[in-house]
Amino acid sequence: MRRTWGVIAVLLTAVLLAGCTTNSGSSVNRDSGNSSESVSGGVAPAAGDKASVTGTTGDVNTSSRDVITTGSLSITATDPVKASESAVTITEQAGGRVDSRSENPATDVQPASANLTLRIPSDELDRTLAELKKLGTLNFVTLTAQDVTQQSQDLDARITALTTSVDRLLALMASATTTADLISIESALSSRQGELESLQSQRDYLADQIDYSTVQLELVAEGTVAASGPDTFWSGIIVGWTALVTALGGLLVGLGVALPWLVLLAIVGTIVLLIVRMFARRRKAA
């Protein structure tokens, strides 16, 4: 009898160990499968590819987010000036535009080159970049995405609130019965309309940055080592100016977001200061 129970115990132990081993194998396989999917789903640069970024902007520029995409592209072309004309055509066919363009024909001192600032519709960026890469040999490409969804939502909310306020003031102006009321309403209305136009201007600029990606295209002649940044005085000015405009735009947006809070703090601070002075005068008088 003891032997029988011993045999049964051994069999149960073997079954349990087999089950645990099977579960562990399944778990490992699932984990391995997930890892494999993660690697295959990403975009890895092929051997010999000089591009520093080979992914697509579709991964970050989704329909539910507002994203500003900027980048730079360097291409070695047989004839950079002719390739520059082709780049303009490709950009315009995609619905974009050229904000700046400089071309340097070949001389005895320097090889030919061209630098362009392209504004490409964000939803056409990947396809347009693929077309631009066909102009020659790709040296490098970099893309940077900045999420400005919160700024867009803040501007939209403030514009909506100010629009409602302006409509109410217009209705009050239509029903004003005294000159004093009319002057007071006109003053408030002028202030609100000015602020509303400023916010709308900021929103239009931000929308343009979102809708059109900015790409700095550098075209160099064969045998020229392409630099990762501007290599001439004029290209440096172009890159610097673009960076300055982008930075000022972001600064204006941030200032617009902070302005109502600053005004509120100034009003509260003034009221507190007046109260403190009033109590100080009463103490002196007593």
Side-chain angles (χ1 to χ4, degrees), residues 164-182:
T164 303
S165 179
V166 168
D167 292 340
R168 290 176 180 174
L169 288 174
L170 289 173
L172 289 174
M173 181 181 293
S175 60
T177 57
T178 65
T179 303
D181 291 342
L182 185 60

Side-chain angles (χ1 to χ4, degrees), residues 2-247:
R2 291 180 179 178
R3 291 181 180 179
T4 302
W5 284 111
V7 172
I8 293 174
V10 170
L11 291 176
L12 289 176
T13 302
V15 171
L16 290 175
L17 289 175
C20 292
T21 303
T22 303
N23 291 334
S24 299
S26 300
S27 177
V28 171
N29 290 335
R30 285 195 295 270
D31 293 341
S32 301
N34 291 337
S35 299
S36 176
E37 290 176 2
S38 177
V39 172
S40 62
V43 181
D49 192 356
K50 297 181 180 179
S52 60
V53 174
T54 55
T56 63
T57 58
D59 297 334
V60 293
N61 195 9
T62 61
S63 59
S64 61
R65 311 296 295 175
D66 290 333
V67 178
I68 296 178
T69 304
T70 58
S72 58
L73 183 68
S74 176
I75 294 176
T76 297
T78 305
D79 186 350
V81 175
K82 185 176 180 180
S84 173
E85 297 175 356
S86 300
V88 172
T89 301
I90 292 173
T91 301
E92 292 177 346
Q93 288 178 346
R97 65 180 189 269
V98 179
D99 278 1
S100 66
R101 177 181 178 183
S102 64
E103 298 175 348
N104 302 309
T107 64
D108 296 336
V109 180
Q110 64 178 12
S113 63
N115 289 276
L116 302 92
T117 301
L118 308 178
R119 301 299 308 282
I120 304 172
S122 298
D123 54 354
E124 293 288 335
L125 180 59
D126 292 329
R127 186 186 65 80
T128 305
L129 288 178
E131 292 295 324
L132 292 174
K133 291 176 183 178
K134 297 178 182 178
L135 297 177
T137 302
L138 178 65
N139 299 316
F140 67 83
V141 54
T142 60
L143 293 174
T144 302
Q146 178 186 3
D147 193 329
V148 293
T149 305
Q150 186 62 46
Q151 297 178 20
S152 299
Q153 292 175 348
D154 289 343
L155 283 174
D156 289 339
R158 293 173 59 196
I159 289 173
T160 300
L162 275 176
T163 301
T164 303
S165 179
V166 168
D167 292 340
R168 290 176 180 174
L169 288 174
L170 289 173
L172 289 174
M173 181 181 293
S175 60
T177 57
T178 65
T179 303
D181 291 342
L182 185 60
I183 293 175
S184 177
I185 294 173
E186 284 181 348
S187 177
L189 180 61
S190 177
S191 176
R192 299 290 174 82
Q193 286 178 333
E195 186 177 356
L196 177 60
E197 290 175 359
S198 176
L199 291 177
Q200 289 173 337
S201 177
Q202 294 178 35
R203 186 65 180 90
D204 291 342
Y205 174 80
L206 189 62
D208 180 71
Q209 295 297 309
I210 295 170
D211 295 338
Y212 291 87
S213 301
T214 303
V215 176
Q216 301 291 336
L217 174 61
E218 177 190 42
L219 296 166
V220 297
E222 295 179 347
T224 302
V225 178
S228 59
D231 56 353
T232 64
F233 175 76
W234 292 110
S235 63
I237 290 179
I238 293 171
V239 174
W241 175 256
T242 303
L244 176 62
V245 171
T246 303

